[in-house]
Amino acid sequence: MAVRAGIVVTGTEVLTGRVSDRNGPWLAEELRRLGVDVGAVLVVGDRPEDLRNALRFLADEDVVLTTGGLGPTADDLTAQVVGEVQGRPSSVDPELERQIAGIVEGLMDGRGWRADPEATAAGVRKQALVPEGAIVLPPVGTAPGLVVPPAEERDGPVVVVLPGPPSELQGMWPAALAAEPVQRALADRSELRQETLRLWGTLESQLAATLRQHEFPALEVTTCLRDGELEIVTRYGSEAQPEYDRLVEAVRAAHGPQLFSTGPTVDDLVASAFADRGLTVATAESCTSGLLVARLTERAGSSAWVLGGVASYANSAKEALVGVPSEVLESCGAVSTEVAAALAEGARSRFGADVGVGITGIAGPGGGSPEKPVGTVHLCAVGPDGRQPRSVVLPGSRSAVRHRSVALAMHMLRQLLLGGPPA
Amino acid sequence: MAVRAGIVVTGTEVLTGRVSDRNGPWLAEELRRLGVDVGAVLVVGDRPEDLRNALRFLADEDVVLTTGGLGPTADDLTAQVVGEVQGRPSSVDPELERQIAGIVEGLMDGRGWRADPEATAAGVRKQALVPEGAIVLPPVGTAPGLVVPPAEERDGPVVVVLPGPPSELQGMWPAALAAEPVQRALADRSELRQETLRLWGTLESQLAATLRQHEFPALEVTTCLRDGELEIVTRYGSEAQPEYDRLVEAVRAAHGPQLFSTGPTVDDLVASAFADRGLTVATAESCTSGLLVARLTERAGSSAWVLGGVASYANSAKEALVGVPSEVLESCGAVSTEVAAALAEGARSRFGADVGVGITGIAGPGGGSPEKPVGTVHLCAVGPDGRQPRSVVLPGSRSAVRHRSVALAMHMLRQLLLGGPPA
C-alpha cells in the first residue's frame, strides 16, 4: 500500500448534515480499486481557514482530493484556497470564462428561466479563476475541476479539485486520473483487493469470537451491522489471497447457515433469482408504504420482474385494492399474520404475479399497545414454491422499523427463491 | 461563537462508503442548537494511528466527540486509543462487565440465537475497558459511552466517546451532555441561530448575484442545491438578527415567486396543508415506483391524510389496479401526459381520496428514444381545486431522475394545496 490519499469534502451544508456526502465514499471506493489507500475523509465548512487546516492535515499524503466549493456564490472558495496553499496564485482564464458563459446561457434557456446578464457574468468570472500552472478539467456541469501540483520549490501532495454535485464529479473523474501529475503520484501503487462476506441471523459478538480464534495478520478486516445484516469486509494485498481464503473457510465453518453471500448483496441475489427463473413479483405494503417496491425497482431492468405494488395504508385500501376481506381486518386487526398473508395473496392475484409479499405493522411512534407494541411487524411471502410467514418485534425509530422490515422482506424473498435457512 | 467542537467518525465501513454516516450530521445539529460551532468532521478507518492523528488535529477544540469503534470485535479500539491520547490507561470495570454480560444474554435469548459463552465473555470484557478516571455513560445498546477529560497535568479538549449505531448514540446524548466535564467545557457558549430560506425554480448563480449586491458581514450564508430546490442556510449570533431580516427582504424582493418557505420544508408544508384542510391523498406511480408514497408516509401521523398508492410498474397494473384505459396506453404510450392524468384520476377514485397524483416516465438508463429521451417524466396532480399537469426532461442517473420526479411532485402538491406559482 505504497500510495496514500486524503479527501476533503467542503461545504457547510455537508458539515451540518443538511446534505449527506456521497462523494467521499465514491472517491474512496474508486481509489481502493486503483490500489490507493484512503487514510481520512475530512468534512469542513465553507471557511477558508478550515479548508487550509484540512489541507495541512493531509500534507503527508501523495494525493489529496477536494470536492465542492466551486459554485458561483461567494462561499465557494476551494480553487483559490488550494492555489494559495500550493503556492500558485489564481487569475481568470479568459478561454474558460467564455466556455462557462456558454454553458450557463444554455441551462437558463432550457428551463425557460430569466437571467440577469451582469449577475451571470460575475458568477462565471468567479468560476473561471485558475491557479497559475494548474491543469483545468473541462466542466461537466458548469464548474471546471483542477489538478494543482505544489509550486516548483515546494513539497506536498498533488491536489485534485473536483465539483460537489456527484454526477459532475463522477463525470470528471476519468480526466482527473489521466492528468500527468496524478498519474505520476499514483505510479507506485500496488493492487489492493476487497472482498465481502454477508451474514443474516447472527450477532457481531459471535462473529468476533470466530475471528479471534485465528490469526490473519495480512488482512484488514472490518465488520459492520446494517438493518440486521452483518457484513465482513476485508482488504488485502494480492499476496494475502490464501490467508483470505482461510478466513472464508473459518467463517463458513462457524456460521455456514447464516453466511448467505461471499460477494453479491441480497438485492443482487433476489434480482438474479427473479431474472433466472423468469418469475414476477408484486407487493402490498402497509407500514413500509412503498419502500419495498421502490427498493425492488432501484436497478435498471427491474421492470422485467417487478409488476408493481400497492401501498395500502388505509384499511379501505387493503380491502378495495388488495382484496383483504373485511371480516379478517375486523376479527384479527390490520396488524396480524392473517392480514399479512391476505396482503401477499392479494398482491399476487391482483397483479397476476408469481410471487407476492405482504407487510403490515406498527412503525410508531404512536399506535402501539401492550399486545401489539410499536415495532410489531407481520410479513408474508408467497410463491410457486410455498409460503413463508414471519412475525417480529423490531427495535428503534419509525424509520428504523420501516427499513428493517424491508430488509427482512428482501431476505424472505431470497429464501423463498433460492432456499436456505429461514430469513 | 466562543465554544468549538470537532467530531471524529471512526469505522472503515464509513470511510469506504459502505455505510453512510448519520452521526456526524446529527451531532453537528445538536451542537449548533447549543451554540457550539463545529469546525470539522473527520472520518477515519479502524487503525489506531489514524484515530490518534485525528484526535491531534482537533487538539485545539474545546470538545471532541467520537462515534463508533466500541463493539466487541478486535477492530473496535476507540476507547483505548482515546484513553492513551488523554493520558489515561484503560482497565476492565468489573461492574460494567457484569452489566454488559446481562444485556448480551438478553439479546441472544430474545432472538432465539445460540451463543458461545466463552466468545461472548471475551467480547464483553473488551467492551468493559474504561480509561482511568473516565465517566461511564450507561449502555443504550450493549456498548457504554465515555467522557474522558485530559489527565491532570495535561491540556486539551474533553473527549466524549459515543457508540456508532445512531439510536444508541442519540439515546446516550443527554447523559453525555449532563456530565460535569462536558458542562464545564460548554459553559462559555453563546446563542447561535440558524435559519433557512427555500426557493424552487431559480439557478444558484441568480441567487449569488442577489447576495452580492448587499453586505452581510455578520452572517455565515451557505447555499445548496438539492433535487432542484435551492436552500439558503444562514448562521448568526443573536445580535445579527436585524441583518438577517435584511437578507430575507433582499431575497424576497429579487426572488419572491420562487421563495416558497422561510423555514419549513416542502414536506412540512404539504403535510400541514393536508391536515389543516382535512384532505386525503393517493398516488399512482410508474417510474418512481412507490418513492412518493414512501416519502409522504415518512412522518408519524401521516395515516390521517395518506390513503395509499399504487406502484403500477407494468402496463397491466396500470389498467387493472388504477383503471388507465388500454386505448390510452396504446394510442399515447405509457409515458405521456394522458397516462399521467389517468393515473392521477385513477388513484383518486380507486382509493376514494380527495387528491390524486400520477407519475410516469423513463428513469433510464434504457428505454429512451429520440422522441422520449431518458429523463422524460409526465406528472399530474388533481384535487378539489383543479388539476395541475407538468412535463419535464430531467438530467442525471436513474436514481437522480426518480428522486427529482418525487421532489417535483411534492412541489406540485404544495402548489395545488396552497396556491402560489406553478411548481
Side-chain angles (χ1 to χ4, degrees), chain A residues 181-412:
Chain A
V182 177
Q183 281 294 309
R184 196 153 16 100
L186 299 184
D188 291 333
R189 68 188 189 271
S190 59
E191 191 198 354
L192 189 62
R193 294 184 183 172
Q194 177 172 304
E195 296 290 343
T196 306
L197 300 177
R198 299 175 198 276
L199 292 89
W200 177 257
T202 193
L203 277 186
E204 208 169 0
S205 58
Q206 301 305 302
L207 176 69
T210 304
L211 297 179
R212 236 183 254 114
Q213 289 160 11
H214 302 267
E215 298 275 324
F216 301 114
L219 307 181
E220 187 185 334
V221 181
T222 56
T223 61
C224 161
L225 190 65
R226 169 156 55 176
D227 284 340
E229 225 179 271
L230 196 54
E231 274 182 8
I232 313 171
V233 178
T234 308
R235 303 201 293 171
Y236 55 96
S238 53
E239 73 290 348
Q241 186 62 47
E243 194 170 316
Y244 181 69
D245 297 341
R246 281 211 310 282
L247 171 86
V248 176
E249 283 322 301
V251 172
R252 198 188 298 281
H255 309 280
Q258 288 82 38
L259 178 68
F260 72 87
S261 169
T262 55
T265 63
V266 64
D267 298 72
D268 295 331
L269 294 171
V270 166
S272 305
F274 278 122
D276 292 349
R277 297 185 54 182
L279 298 176
T280 58
V281 63
T283 64
E285 307 176 61
S286 182
C287 61
T288 55
S289 188
L291 283 176
L292 176 61
V293 69
R295 180 162 165 177
L296 286 168
T297 56
E298 259 167 25
R299 64 188 59 211
S302 51
S303 55
W305 59 88
V306 184
L307 298 185
V310 175
S312 53
Y313 219 52
N315 277 354
S316 56
K318 292 182 184 70
E319 291 182 36
L321 278 105
V322 199
V324 177
S326 59
E327 314 85 70
V328 174
L329 281 166
E330 272 160 34
S331 60
C332 308
V335 178
S336 59
T337 54
E338 292 81 358
V339 168
L343 287 169
E345 295 287 4
R348 198 178 172 209
S349 68
R350 292 287 171 110
F351 284 88
D354 302 301
V355 174
V357 184
I359 308 179
T360 181
I362 303 162
S369 69
E371 297 75 37
K372 295 182 182 178
V374 167
T376 301
V377 183
H378 300 283
L379 304 95
C380 187
V382 290
D385 308 335
R387 176 193 281 209
Q388 193 185 138
R390 188 75 203 274
S391 297
V392 287
V393 180
L394 298 169
S397 65
R398 176 177 179 85
S399 171
V401 169
R402 283 163 43 108
H403 283 95
R404 282 189 186 208
S405 300
V406 170
L408 177 51
M410 293 300 292
H411 281 278
M412 290 171 63

Side-chain angles (χ1 to χ4, degrees), chain B residues 48-270:
Chain B
E49 70 275 21
D50 290 347
L51 176 53
R52 251 177 247 125
N53 283 338
L55 292 169
R56 277 193 209 110
F57 180 71
L58 299 170
D60 294 333
E61 310 288 334
D62 302 295
V63 182
V64 169
L65 301 113
T66 73
T67 75
L70 298 180
T73 49
D75 56 310
D76 292 311
L77 38 77
T78 306
Q80 291 91 309
V81 172
V82 168
E84 193 187 295
V85 169
Q86 297 289 68
R88 298 181 176 276
S90 298
S91 58
V92 172
D93 179 328
E95 172 51 35
L96 185 59
E97 190 181 3
R98 271 189 297 276
Q99 194 185 347
I100 299 171
I103 294 169
V104 171
E105 209 172 302
L107 264 182
M108 296 294 289
D109 285 354
R111 304 191 193 183
W113 291 351
R114 73 195 163 81
D116 167 356
E118 263 184 64
T120 306
V124 167
R125 207 151 44 237
K126 197 206 142 291
Q127 291 189 290
L129 277 171
V130 174
E132 190 179 59
I135 295 169
V136 175
L137 306 170
V140 171
T142 66
L146 297 167
V147 173
V148 191
E152 298 294 335
E153 73 282 8
R154 297 203 184 192
D155 275 342
V158 53
V159 181
V160 181
V161 176
L162 297 166
S167 61
E168 296 187 30
L169 177 140
Q170 292 172 23
M172 197 177 281
W173 181 237
L177 273 185
E180 192 275 332
V182 177
Q183 281 294 309
R184 197 153 17 99
L186 299 185
D188 292 333
R189 69 186 187 271
S190 59
E191 190 197 355
L192 188 61
R193 295 184 182 171
Q194 177 172 305
E195 295 291 343
T196 306
L197 300 177
R198 299 174 198 278
L199 292 89
W200 177 257
T202 194
L203 277 184
E204 209 169 359
S205 59
Q206 301 306 301
L207 176 68
T210 304
L211 297 179
R212 238 183 250 114
Q213 289 160 12
H214 302 267
E215 295 277 324
F216 302 113
L219 307 180
E220 187 185 335
V221 181
T222 57
T223 61
C224 162
L225 190 64
R226 171 158 52 177
D227 283 342
E229 225 180 272
L230 196 55
E231 274 181 6
I232 313 171
V233 179
T234 307
R235 304 201 291 173
Y236 55 96
S238 52
E239 73 291 348
Q241 185 64 47
E243 195 170 316
Y244 181 69
D245 297 340
R246 280 210 312 281
L247 171 87
V248 176
E249 283 323 301
V251 172
R252 198 187 299 279
H255 309 280
Q258 288 82 39
L259 179 67
F260 71 87
S261 169
T262 55
T265 62
V266 64
D267 298 71
D268 295 331
L269 294 171
V270 166

Side-chain angles (χ1 to χ4, degrees), chain A residues 124-189:
Chain A
V124 167
R125 208 152 42 239
K126 194 203 143 293
Q127 291 189 289
L129 278 171
V130 174
E132 191 178 59
I135 296 169
V136 174
L137 305 170
V140 171
T142 66
L146 297 166
V147 173
V148 191
E152 297 295 333
E153 71 281 8
R154 299 203 185 193
D155 273 342
V158 54
V159 180
V160 182
V161 177
L162 298 167
S167 61
E168 296 188 29
L169 177 139
Q170 292 171 23
M172 197 178 282
W173 183 237
L177 274 184
E180 192 276 334
V182 177
Q183 281 294 309
R184 196 153 16 100
L186 299 184
D188 291 333
R189 68 188 189 271

Side-chain angles (χ1 to χ4, degrees), chain A residues 7-10 40-44 53-54 57-58, chain B residues 40-43 57:
Chain A
I7 298 171
V8 183
V9 176
T10 73
V41 178
L42 277 75
V43 183
V44 297
N53 283 337
F57 179 70
L58 299 170
Chain B
V41 177
L42 277 74
V43 183
F57 180 71

